[in-house]
Amino acid sequence: MPTGACGINCDVCKLNLLGTCSSCGPGTSPLAEQKLATQQRLLGGTCAILACAQLNRVEYCLRDCAQFACDNFSQGPYPFSRGYLQMQNRRRRQNPPAFAPDKSPVEVPSQFWDELQSKDLNTLCNWTLFRLVSAHQVVFHFLNEEVLMDVAEGCLKRDNGRGWEKTQDPLLELVTVIYLNNVKKLHPLGREIVGVKDLKEAHFFQGPHILQTDPLLQRYGQDISGFEDAARFLEGRPVDMADAAYELFPFPRVPLYFLFWQGDKEFEPRISVLFDRSIEAVFSADAIWGLVNRVSTALLQGPTG
Ligand code: SF4
Ligand code: SF4
């Protein structure tokens, strides 16, 4: 693997072709160990980034470390410019873009909001454990944070420390509006836990609609403790279902179960998502697909701050 822990790809460097410089490799690799030993021998010291990544069992700083961009990057001489690090810090604070299966940007149709405006929010709160905070506003707990839905303005808001501020989170906005438009009663939880193949619309979850667990495997496939850290950060409850498994709550009465199996010599690592059977009463298959994507994105973002 030619990419160093810092993200520099040694495979495309002439110094590597000439044999002047060897690859650093990911922080968990034998290459990293060799490079650190060589640096110590030839230079009398080691790259702080590579040494830190190796010590902390981090493959790639930009992908795998919650501390990025740490002082080793911002204060050290290598390898990125201040402008690049500022861009990384700024964009990591933004919600990632949301796309439908056909790759078009997710938007909430205005008629969905119109329908919601005709509903009795107080009753919806009783069925969903959302909280009514004014005539047209409800607050709900999404994973590990409070989010306000302003039904009059047709948007979601997050608390920026000074008050509620409009937030761009189209996938969360879409599934929340769909949820409140569809819920018709309080659905008991815990009667049956099912996978996509057990859902009535199981046929939907194929081809472009397959659940998007590959990015989670890229990030956590070799890092079960990173997966557990992210799930705990999102207030997931551990459940005894796989090598690591957590019940996560995108809405107070809608649990999702993320199950992680570590790989071995025979099998690749695997991630599955299970549902409470009641999810079918409030979400169609495409909304379940969107909800799983939004929670997967939160797991990928991992612990912050
Ligand atoms: S900054 Fe460190 S980890 Fe990155 S290529 Fe240079 S020596 Fe390797
Ligand atoms: S603390 Fe910094 S150098 Fe160390 S692994 Fe994380 S990002 Fe890399």
Side-chain angles (χ1 to χ4, degrees):
M1 187 70 76
T3 305
C6 68
I8 295 282
N9 184 348
C10 303
D11 212 20
V12 295
C13 177
K14 190 174 278 185
L15 291 180
N16 192 275
L17 284 183
L18 294 170
T20 308
C21 187
S22 59
S23 170
C24 287
T28 50
S29 67
L31 273 178
E33 208 171 309
Q34 289 162 20
K35 183 71 176 249
L36 286 167
T38 306
Q39 287 176 339
Q40 187 64 48
R41 183 164 42 82
L42 297 181
L43 307 173
T46 56
C47 165
I49 293 170
L50 192 59
C52 179
Q54 193 208 33
L55 186 70
N56 291 298
R57 307 294 302 154
V58 167
E59 272 192 289
Y60 300 109
C61 296
L62 283 94
R63 189 191 67 183
D64 303 331
C65 185
Q67 310 304 319
F68 183 84
C70 68
D71 286 354
N72 287 331
F73 284 88
S74 60
Q75 307 299 318
Y78 298 112
F80 301 125
S81 70
R82 182 168 302 183
Y84 179 82
L85 296 176
Q86 282 170 348
M87 178 278 292
Q88 282 278 344
N89 286 335
R90 176 173 48 81
R91 299 190 75 180
R92 280 161 190 259
R93 286 195 296 271
Q94 297 170 349
N95 287 316
F99 298 105
D102 66 1
K103 306 293 178 209
S104 61
V106 168
E107 285 176 13
V108 183
S110 60
Q111 61 267 32
F112 285 21
W113 282 110
D114 295 344
E115 185 183 345
L116 188 54
Q117 279 160 6
S118 68
K119 305 254 177 192
D120 175 2
L121 290 183
N122 195 35
T123 304
L124 293 182
C125 286
N126 288 336
W127 291 337
T128 58
L129 291 184
F130 283 31
R131 294 194 327 272
L132 193 66
V133 292
S134 78
H136 302 289
Q137 294 177 320
V138 293
V139 167
F140 63 97
H141 200 72
F142 170 65
L143 299 171
N144 60 346
E145 61 170 336
E146 300 278 281
V147 178
L148 184 143
M149 170 179 257
D150 193 318
V151 178
E153 290 183 29
C155 66
L156 298 182
K157 296 181 177 178
R158 285 187 161 91
D159 190 348
N160 64 8
R162 297 181 303 280
W164 294 104
E165 183 181 51
K166 187 171 176 178
T167 182
Q168 292 299 331
D169 197 337
L171 197 46
L172 180 60
E173 184 179 317
L174 180 65
V175 291
T176 309
V177 175
I178 289 173
Y179 179 39
L180 292 187
N181 277 332
N182 285 354
V183 66
K184 300 283 185 293
K185 63 175 191 172
L186 192 149
H187 295 278
L189 295 179
R191 291 188 174 166
E192 193 183 1
I193 294 174
V194 296
V196 277
K197 292 196 176 110
D198 308 308
L199 295 173
K200 292 187 191 101
E201 295 183 279
H203 60 276
F204 174 87
F205 298 95
Q206 296 172 25
H209 302 131
I210 205 158
L211 292 182
Q212 303 288 299
T213 50
D214 279 358
L216 287 174
L217 282 171
Q218 281 172 31
R219 166 63 189 90
Y220 297 118
Q222 309 300 324
D223 183 14
I224 189 169
S225 66
F227 173 78
E228 293 184 297
D229 288 347
R232 279 194 297 264
F233 175 73
L234 298 176
E235 299 179 8
R237 296 181 192 159
V239 286
D240 194 12
M241 288 183 172
D243 292 334
Y246 286 82
E247 182 182 25
L248 295 159
F249 286 87
F251 301 114
R253 296 193 58 77
V254 181
L256 297 183
Y257 300 85
F258 279 75
L259 279 54
F260 179 103
W261 284 271
Q262 294 190 95
D264 56 25
K265 281 183 189 147
E266 263 182 83
F267 298 104
E268 293 290 312
R270 199 155 51 88
I271 289 180
S272 302
V273 186
L274 302 181
F275 311 92
D276 192 278
R277 173 67 82 186
S278 62
I279 198 167
E280 293 183 300
V282 286
F283 288 114
S284 57
D286 53 353
I288 292 174
W289 185 89
L291 185 63
V292 170
N293 265 6
R294 184 60 189 84
V295 175
S296 297
T297 296
L299 281 167
L300 277 179
Q301 287 175 308
T304 51

